[in-house]
């Protein structure tokens, strides 16, 4: 009789149970991480959001008091607007827009030169964030010899302090240059996996390079495009470290403050040590809820279930 | 319709000579097959004609127009790929309409032409489907339709039948040939399958390692192969090659092998008279040109392979085994002695070193 591994392992109910047991053993590490680093913090945040906890760490339950306060918080609406502006502008111009542009541009030129270009775009990602932010701050200084002012002086413009004059521009550039690399890597991989014959067929059929991009390449990378859009929306929604490092929400009152940063400021960085853990946690909870709702919307609208079932690039 | 002329055409990839100094003329309306094993440069040649690859050296002419620097879209070639290269995100209609859409033809003209060519190929009912919902044979017809709809001057086909099952392949072979004869479109057909090339093409260019071995009609390639490569490549049961040295005794030429002697018919003596005696040569004879049951030579039946209508009889002639094609009902036993002879006017003699044919 020939040895059949399948038969051997799942021949009776005992081995079948054992088999299932293994399943959980292998899933345990990742489940553990999700519980410890996501589920427990979310529950804690939600619970703290129901208190007016401060530096004394007392659980003073106030029910939905914080949430009612958010509705009355005149800054909350401005900050919500800021967040939406920040997320969608960075997403459109950099995390998806620029990423797509670089991927297409670098796959249509000599492969070696393309790789070099893409490597350069990875540098912001591998630079420590404080160093990276500092470089931008230097480049955007108000002095005439800073990089920005030197560049604009070529066109005869006067030196300005970029952080004070165009804070949003700086915030979006700083985040965008980091955020581009993620989409760039995924789009490039997707573009490179398009079988050569599709491109050749299109060329023979009379398509120009732009038409090949428009009619063949873009439709074929539709799924990676949707995935990066969804993933980066959620990622930008909760990001604040570079804004903290560059403008800290300023200049002035909440000019570039986003929701996640507001939550951080209230919870950990109030002047004079007035910390509002409770209120900050409530704000963070709302962010989690928005994130979850958007995930579900993306999942449904972009039909990610299909994406996971079968490969979308057919050979 | 146009004629195609390739002059000293070469394509090098770094140090690899994919195509080396190829000269080929394809007449207007002719069906030419580029035949050779994988890596012989046939697809590279096709892609140069399509304009996808730029030649390293040499010239490509359509009629008398130099095409080297003409972009693919201005060459008016229709191409069918081995993978079919149907765009998965487009319906069958959009796939076929794609070349016309790029030419910015009016919508109703596109609709009419797509319908016409789809009906012609028997896929008129499938226009709303996506390529993934089609069988291999249907996908292939869509690919053909896409190449035909633009009314090309030249039809380029890169192993179009190799992804089909054997039965469908035979059917499509005939259909393609019929279609080519109907439209009289100059066709260049790349294949590694000598049966396809023999059955379909007006002329066949046999390539090996980027070099043209022979260019001629199927009949010429079969009956008068220029070298041992062509002789071995053409023919469904491959030609027998018997090694030996050319000897001369009593005014007769003889091939002397390990354990066997074969007499070369007198008709060939004129050709052989300039060859030095003792030269290593190879005698080539096709299995269908080995007569069995009678004759001046004998060997032992080594093994018998029945094919139904025919059978292949392997005969051990002492140090060498040759194949003979016999009718299926011919009675023969393994291990028994068997007499055989060669059809005198059908033998070939090649130089062992160069592989070139003397006869």
């Amino acid at each position: 009789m020939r040895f059949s591994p399948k038969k051997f392992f799942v021949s009776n109910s005992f081995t079948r149970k054992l088999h299932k047991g293994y399943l959980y053993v292998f899933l345990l590490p990742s489940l553990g991480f999700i519980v410890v680093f996501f589920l427990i913090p979310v529950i804690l945040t939600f619970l703290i959001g129901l208190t007016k906890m401060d530096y004394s760490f007392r659980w003073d339950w106030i029910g939905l008091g914080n949430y009612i306060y958010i509705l009355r918080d005149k800054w909350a609406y401005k900050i919500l607007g800021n967040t939406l502006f920040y997320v969608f502008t960075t997403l459109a111009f950099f995390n998806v827009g620029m990423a797509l542009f670089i991927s297409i541009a670098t796959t249509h030129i000599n492969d070696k030169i393309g790789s070099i270009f893409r490597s350069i775009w990875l540098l912001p990602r591998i630079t420590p964030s404080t160093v990276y932010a500092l470089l931008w701050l230097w480049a955007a200084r108000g002095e005439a010899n800073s990089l920005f002012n030197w560049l604009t002086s070529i066109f005869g413009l006067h030196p300005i302090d970029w952080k004070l004059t165009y804070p949003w521009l700086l915030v979006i550039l700083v985040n965008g240059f980091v955020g581009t690399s993620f989409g760039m890597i995924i789009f490039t991989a997707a573009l490179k996996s398009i079988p050569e014959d599709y491109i050749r067929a299109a060329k023979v059929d009379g398509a120009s390079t732009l038409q090949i991009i428009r009619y063949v390449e873009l439709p074929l990378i539709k799924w990676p495009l949707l995935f990066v859009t969804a993933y980066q929306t959620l990622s930008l929604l909760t990001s604040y470290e570079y804004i903290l490092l560059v403008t800290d929400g300023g200049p002035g009152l909440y000019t570039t403050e986003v929701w996640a940063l507001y939550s951080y400021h209230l919870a950990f960085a109030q002047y004079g040590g007035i910390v509002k853990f409770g209120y900050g946690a409530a704000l963070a909870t709302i962010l989690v809820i928005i994130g979850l709702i958007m995930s579900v919307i993306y999942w449904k609208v972009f039909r990610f279930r299909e994406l996971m079932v079968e490969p979308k690039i057919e050979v | 319709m146009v004629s195609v002329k390739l002059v000293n055409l070469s394509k090098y990839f770094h140090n690899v000579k994919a195509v080396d100094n190829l000269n080929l003329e394809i007449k207007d309306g002719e069906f030419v097959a580029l035949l050779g094993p994988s890596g012989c440069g046939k697809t590279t040649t096709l892609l140069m004609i399509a304009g996808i690859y730029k030649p390293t050296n040499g010239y490509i002419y359509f009629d008398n127009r130099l095409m080297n620097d003409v972009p693919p879209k201005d060459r008016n070639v229709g191409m069918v790929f081995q993978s079919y290269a149907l765009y998965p995100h487009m319906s069958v209609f959009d796939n076929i309409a794609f070349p016309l859409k790029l030419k910015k033809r009016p919508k109703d003209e596109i609709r009419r032409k797509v319908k016409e060519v789809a009906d012609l190929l028997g896929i008129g009912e499938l226009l709303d489907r996506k390529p993934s919902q089609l069988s291999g044979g249907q996908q292939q017809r869509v690919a053909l339709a896409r190449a035909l709809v633009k009314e090309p001057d030249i039809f380029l086909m890169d192993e179009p039948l190799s992804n089909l099952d054997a039965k469908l392949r035979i059917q499509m072979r005939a259909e393609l040939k019929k279609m080519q004869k109907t439209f009289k479109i100059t066709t260049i057909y790349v294949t590694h399958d000598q049966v396809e090339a023999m059955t379909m093409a007006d002329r066949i260019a046999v390539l090996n390692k980027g070099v043209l071995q022979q260019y001629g009609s199927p009949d010429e390639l079969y009956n008068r192969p220029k070298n041992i490569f062509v002789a071995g490549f053409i023919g469904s049961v491959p030609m027998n090659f018997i090694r030996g040295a050319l000897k001369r005794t009593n005014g007769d030429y003889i091939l002397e092998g390990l354990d066997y002697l074969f007499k070369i018919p007198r008709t060939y003596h004129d050709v052989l008279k300039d060859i030095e005696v003792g030269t290593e040569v190879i005698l080539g004879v096709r299995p269908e040109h080995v007569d069995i049951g009678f004759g001046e030579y004998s060997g032992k039946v080594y093994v018998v392979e029945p094919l139904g209508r025919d059978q292949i009889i392997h005969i051990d002639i002492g140090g060498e085994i040759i194949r003979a094609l016999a009718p299926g009902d011919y009675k023969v036993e393994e291990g028994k002695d068997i007499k055989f002879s060669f059809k005198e006017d059908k033998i070939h003699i090649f130089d062992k070193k160069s592989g070139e044919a003397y006869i």
Side-chain angles (χ1 to χ4, degrees):
Chain A
M1 205 178 81
R2 275 185 60 225
F3 173 73
S4 154
K6 203 175 167 192
K7 229 178 180 175
F8 182 78
F9 283 116
V10 286
S11 57
N12 58 44
S13 67
F14 173 71
T15 47
R16 210 174 298 140
K17 264 180 201 156
L18 202 70
H19 193 72
K20 260 198 166 167
Y22 275 127
L23 200 72
Y24 291 116
V25 168
F26 284 123
L27 278 177
L28 209 58
S30 60
L31 283 176
F33 273 111
I34 290 172
V35 169
V36 172
F37 291 107
F38 182 74
L39 219 53
I40 292 177
V42 163
I43 292 166
L44 276 177
T45 305
F46 176 69
L47 291 176
I48 294 171
L50 300 175
T51 70
K52 53 173 189 175
M53 185 184 285
D54 56 17
Y55 62 90
S56 61
F57 290 105
R58 271 205 315 272
W59 293 79
D60 294 330
W61 301 98
I62 55 165
L64 294 174
N66 284 326
Y67 294 94
I68 293 160
Y69 188 73
I70 290 171
L71 291 175
R72 288 203 217 115
D73 186 343
K74 62 174 174 165
W75 294 114
Y77 296 98
K78 180 179 169 53
I79 289 162
L80 184 68
N82 280 353
T83 310
L84 294 176
F85 174 75
Y86 159 71
V87 169
F88 290 107
T89 314
T90 315
L91 198 66
F93 285 100
F94 285 96
N95 292 23
V96 174
M98 182 65 92
L100 192 59
F101 176 77
I102 294 170
S103 305
I104 290 172
T106 58
T107 46
H108 278 264
I109 56 173
N110 177 292
D111 201 38
K112 261 189 196 149
I113 298 171
S115 299
I116 293 171
F117 265 106
R118 288 195 298 272
S119 311
I120 292 171
W121 274 88
L122 270 176
L123 289 177
R125 177 73 70 185
I126 55 172
T127 312
S129 36
T130 45
V131 175
Y132 172 71
L134 212 56
L135 288 172
W136 276 99
L137 285 174
W138 283 345
R141 267 181 339 200
E143 283 88 347
N145 61 359
S146 74
L147 182 67
F148 277 35
N149 285 330
W150 174 73
L151 282 173
T152 52
S153 72
I154 296 169
F155 304 101
L157 299 174
H158 292 292
I160 49 169
D161 188 322
W162 291 83
K163 196 172 108 175
L164 293 177
T165 322
Y166 301 112
W168 272 121
L169 180 72
L170 196 59
V171 163
I172 287 161
L173 283 177
V174 171
N175 277 285
F177 271 68
V178 178
T180 298
S181 53
F182 179 82
M184 179 187 79
I185 288 168
I186 292 191
F187 297 151
T188 305
L191 284 168
K192 283 190 166 183
S193 72
I194 295 175
E196 188 77 21
D197 275 358
Y198 288 148
I199 313 296
R200 287 175 177 164
K203 276 186 190 164
V204 169
D205 284 344
S208 63
T209 303
L210 281 180
Q211 284 170 322
I212 290 173
I213 293 168
R214 156 100 175 67
Y215 293 117
V216 182
E217 294 190 335
L218 283 181
L220 285 176
I221 64 162
K222 181 180 136 202
W223 292 96
L225 208 56
L226 295 179
F227 166 71
V228 169
T229 306
Y231 186 90
Q232 293 287 45
T233 312
L234 301 175
S235 158
L236 281 168
L237 207 57
T238 54
S239 74
Y240 66 89
E241 62 174 305
Y242 292 106
I243 306 179
L244 174 76
L245 288 164
V246 173
T247 64
D248 198 17
L253 219 46
Y254 301 135
T255 308
T256 55
E257 187 92 344
V258 292
W259 199 273
L261 186 59
Y262 189 42
S263 164
Y264 165 82
H265 275 147
L266 288 176
F268 302 109
Q270 284 284 73
Y271 290 108
I274 311 159
V275 288
K276 294 180 177 172
F277 287 138
Y279 192 48
L283 288 166
T285 305
I286 287 185
L287 211 51
V288 172
I289 292 168
I290 293 175
L292 286 175
I293 291 172
M294 294 200 72
S295 307
V296 172
I297 292 174
Y298 277 134
W299 182 267
K300 289 277 175 205
V301 173
F302 292 165
R303 294 177 303 179
F304 278 124
R305 189 189 295 275
E306 282 180 38
L307 175 70
M308 292 185 178
V309 170
E310 50 174 340
K312 283 293 164 188
I313 291 180
E314 292 158 37
V315 184
Chain B
M1 309 308 119
V2 299
S3 63
V4 178
K5 195 159 82 179
L6 311 179
V7 181
N8 301 331
L9 193 67
S10 299
K11 178 71 184 172
Y12 305 155
F13 296 103
H14 302 293
N15 297 327
V16 181
K17 292 180 176 178
V19 176
D20 196 12
N21 206 25
L22 177 63
N23 288 287
L24 215 58
E25 259 183 78
I26 295 145
K27 289 185 221 144
D28 183 1
E30 199 176 15
F31 191 138
V32 165
L34 301 182
L35 174 68
S38 57
C40 75
K42 52 196 192 303
T43 299
T44 308
T45 306
L46 203 68
L47 290 174
M48 281 195 280
I49 297 170
I52 305 287
Y53 285 163
K54 266 205 173 343
T56 312
N57 288 311
Y59 307 96
I60 298 169
Y61 295 94
F62 288 1
D63 283 337
N64 285 316
R65 189 173 161 218
L66 181 65
M67 300 304 283
N68 282 38
D69 294 319
V70 178
K73 68 184 175 73
D74 298 327
R75 296 192 182 202
N76 198 27
V77 296
M79 188 156 175
V80 177
F81 293 84
Q82 182 174 1
S83 65
Y84 311 139
L86 300 177
Y87 310 116
H89 55 284
M90 293 186 200
S91 66
V92 168
F93 180 92
D94 288 333
N95 262 290
I96 302 173
F98 192 59
L100 301 179
K101 198 171 143 193
L102 293 172
K103 283 185 182 169
K104 302 211 161 44
R105 293 283 173 78
K107 277 220 167 97
D108 51 331
E109 186 198 322
I110 293 180
R111 206 169 306 126
R112 184 173 51 79
K113 281 197 167 165
V114 170
K115 188 80 187 123
E116 235 174 64
V117 73
D119 285 340
L120 180 82
L121 288 164
I123 48 171
E125 307 301 310
L126 309 172
L127 291 175
D128 295 329
R129 298 219 196 150
K130 287 280 171 71
S132 55
Q133 297 168 303
L134 303 178
S135 70
Q138 290 168 334
Q139 287 184 28
Q140 209 224 341
R141 283 161 194 270
V142 177
L144 277 172
R146 187 176 64 187
L148 269 180
V149 79
K150 60 197 279 199
E151 295 166 12
D153 291 329
I154 303 171
F155 219 173
L156 303 177
M157 297 198 240
D158 188 3
E159 309 251 6
L161 304 183
S162 59
N163 284 356
L164 301 179
D165 61 63
K167 202 172 151 193
L168 198 55
R169 199 179 310 153
I170 291 168
Q171 184 196 334
M172 284 307 290
R173 213 159 69 189
E175 276 188 41
L176 275 181
K177 185 170 182 174
K178 180 75 192 160
M179 194 180 80
Q180 200 272 339
K181 293 287 170 245
T182 313
F183 293 114
K184 296 192 173 58
I185 302 174
T186 311
T187 300
I188 303 171
Y189 185 103
V190 159
T191 182
H192 66 273
D193 181 351
Q194 58 96 18
V195 179
E196 259 174 40
M198 295 288 277
T199 50
M200 297 167 81
D202 298 320
R203 280 197 288 174
I204 301 170
V206 182
L207 293 165
N208 187 32
K209 294 177 183 161
V211 179
L212 181 67
Q213 304 293 316
Q214 189 170 358
Y215 185 36
S217 67
D219 180 63
E220 274 170 41
L221 295 188
Y222 178 79
N223 288 312
R224 291 190 297 284
K226 267 191 174 165
N227 60 36
I228 203 159
F229 178 83
V230 177
F233 207 81
I234 302 281
S236 339
V237 183
M239 188 185 274
N240 294 303
F241 293 122
I242 305 162
R243 289 166 296 170
L246 200 64
K247 292 280 162 68
R248 217 174 161 160
T249 47
N250 307 332
D252 270 333
Y253 278 103
I254 285 185
L255 178 94
E256 191 182 281
L258 290 168
D259 211 5
Y260 44 81
L261 291 171
F262 291 110
K263 223 164 78 188
I264 315 260
R266 278 174 186 273
T267 38
Y268 299 123
H269 283 198
D270 266 2
V271 190
L272 298 175
K273 70 176 189 290
D274 295 332
I275 306 168
E276 217 176 295
V277 169
T279 306
E280 300 261 325
V281 295
I282 288 170
L283 174 76
V285 58
R286 295 191 184 278
E288 51 270 44
H289 300 145
V290 180
D291 292 325
I292 53 163
F294 55 88
E296 48 194 319
Y297 310 125
S298 71
K300 253 193 183 57
V301 177
Y302 181 69
V303 76
V304 180
E305 294 177 298
L307 297 170
R309 194 191 59 186
D310 304 308
Q311 54 187 331
I312 305 169
I313 301 169
H314 296 242
I315 305 168
D316 187 347
I317 57 169
E320 200 85 67
I321 286 174
I322 63 167
R323 293 170 297 266
L325 208 60
D329 53 6
Y330 186 83
K331 291 279 176 288
V332 64
E333 258 181 81
E334 282 172 23
K336 286 274 167 67
D337 285 338
I338 190 166
K339 285 210 171 299
F340 66 93
S341 65
F342 301 142
K343 281 199 172 64
E344 287 201 347
D345 54 339
K346 298 286 187 190
I347 66 159
H348 306 268
I349 293 175
F350 305 97
D351 182 54
K352 195 186 171 194
K353 245 196 221 135
S354 68
E356 294 299 314
Y358 294 124
I359 300 167

